[in-house]
Amino acid sequence: MRLDKALAASGYGTRSEVKTLIAKGLVSVSGKVIKDPGYRIPDDELNTVEVQGQSATIREKIYLMFNKPDGVLTAMEDKRLHNVGEFIPANLKGRKLSPVGRLDFHTTGLLILTNDGELSHRITSPNYDINKVYEVTYEGPSLTSAQKDEARQGVTLLDKDKPVKLKPAVLEFVNEKQAYLTLTEGKTHEVRRIFAQWERPVTALKRVSVGSLHLDDDLEAGGLRELTNEEIDSLKELTGLL
Ligand code: URA
């Protein structure tokens, strides 16, 4: 990892501020002063970085909570459409962040962004049974216990004309037009397709939690924040990484 990037991403200032610190000889790695901002810190020396004589905490892995707005593509770049990449602050660009799973263009809510590929894989893989909770607003008659039972047993959808039985899901009613649906797999448009099968078109879809992580009530659409160590550890525990 580049020294200037590592320091900027770890909260030591903007890229130009950390370059100044480095040029002034205030940064060392393994006890050696490094004046080249492009110096690559060996992975096993990340914990030896010092800034002004104080041990620096360099974070190699980054974990963010993002409240995805409506009308944003789950991609880090796109030539035509607004996309998640536009919301990444300058000091985190180039850190190879990716969204954990996908939300539809018109789905809002919790999207984890990270460069921890293993955690991302485990959260999205159906093999790890990680709950994803969606708040669904729908049209048509209120859902009943018949749909609750069907969800619990596993809804069968048609995939290219072939019936596919989904994993069991949990349906909870919020009011006559809203429900929470908890899924553990992430098939394309899964929630919308389940509700379409029930003849209740979805008018708004928001993901409110992924595993142990809940979307902050006060994180505005388009807002980002870093996960706390407790939140990261809890996701790692859930996925068998701790
Ligand atoms: N299911 C959907 O239909 N859309 C999403 O964005 C996520 C789950």
Side-chain angles (χ1 to χ4, degrees), residues 103-104 107 134 189-192 205:
L103 292 177
D104 295 340
T107 300
Y134 295 88
H189 311 312
E190 186 164 346
V191 176
R192 293 178 203 274
L205 185 56

Side-chain angles (χ1 to χ4, degrees), residues 8-240:
S10 304
Y12 288 91
T14 61
R15 276 293 267 286
S16 71
E17 284 165 350
V18 302
K19 276 186 173 146
T20 309
L21 283 176
I22 296 166
K24 283 186 175 164
L26 297 172
V27 178
S28 67
V29 179
S30 293
K32 246 181 69 190
V33 170
I34 305 288
K35 291 197 166 178
D36 171 11
Y39 174 79
R40 294 215 158 258
I41 318 167
D43 282 350
D44 58 355
E45 292 181 26
L46 284 168
N47 59 357
T48 69
V49 178
E50 289 188 353
V51 178
Q52 294 178 292
Q54 302 283 316
S55 172
T57 310
I58 300 298
R59 285 168 304 116
E60 195 189 353
K61 299 275 195 279
I62 301 185
Y63 306 85
L64 303 171
M65 171 186 290
F66 178 51
N67 185 2
K68 180 188 164 307
D70 187 4
V72 171
L73 196 69
T74 305
M76 296 315 272
E77 51 182 40
D78 191 84
K79 289 207 168 66
R80 292 177 307 119
L81 299 170
H82 283 305
N83 59 83
V84 173
E86 294 169 21
F87 295 83
I88 305 295
N91 67 326
L92 295 180
K93 295 237 190 243
R95 296 298 302 276
K96 301 194 169 71
L97 288 167
S98 296
V100 176
R102 259 172 199 286
L103 292 177
D104 295 340
F105 192 66
H106 289 300
T107 300
T108 62
L110 178 58
L111 194 59
I112 300 171
L113 306 175
T114 185
N115 52 5
D116 182 339
E118 186 55 34
L119 182 69
S120 179
H121 163 70
R122 292 185 183 213
I123 288 175
T124 47
S125 162
N127 298 335
Y128 289 88
D129 278 338
I130 303 301
N131 287 342
K132 285 97 187 174
V133 183
Y134 295 88
E135 181 191 271
V136 192
T137 310
Y138 61 93
E139 278 176 346
S142 300
L143 294 168
T144 68
S145 53
Q147 283 86 27
K148 261 193 185 179
D149 292 344
E150 196 183 337
R152 201 178 308 123
Q153 278 151 29
V155 176
T156 300
L157 292 179
L158 283 184
D159 228 343
K160 294 188 188 122
D161 292 336
K162 270 180 47 194
V164 174
K165 191 164 178 210
L166 302 178
K167 292 180 90 170
V170 177
L171 181 67
E172 295 162 276
F173 304 139
V174 179
N175 56 44
E176 289 105 71
K177 293 285 159 222
Q178 282 192 313
Y180 288 120
L181 187 65
T182 304
L183 303 177
T184 57
E185 57 191 344
K187 294 202 183 295
T188 311
H189 311 312
E190 186 164 346
V191 176
R192 293 178 203 274
R193 288 164 68 205
I194 293 172
F195 274 67
Q197 171 135 316
W198 290 338
E199 299 182 345
R200 269 55 166 209
V202 170
T203 54
L205 185 56
K206 178 178 185 180
R207 184 155 66 189
V208 293
S209 67
V210 171
S212 48
L213 187 67
H214 301 277
L215 180 67
D216 294 350
D217 287 337
D218 57 357
L219 186 65
E220 72 281 12
L224 280 169
R225 76 155 170 88
E226 292 206 26
L227 300 193
T228 63
N229 288 338
E230 290 73 31
E231 287 169 333
I232 298 164
D233 286 352
S234 170
L235 288 170
K236 286 187 175 174
E237 265 174 39
L238 209 56
T239 52

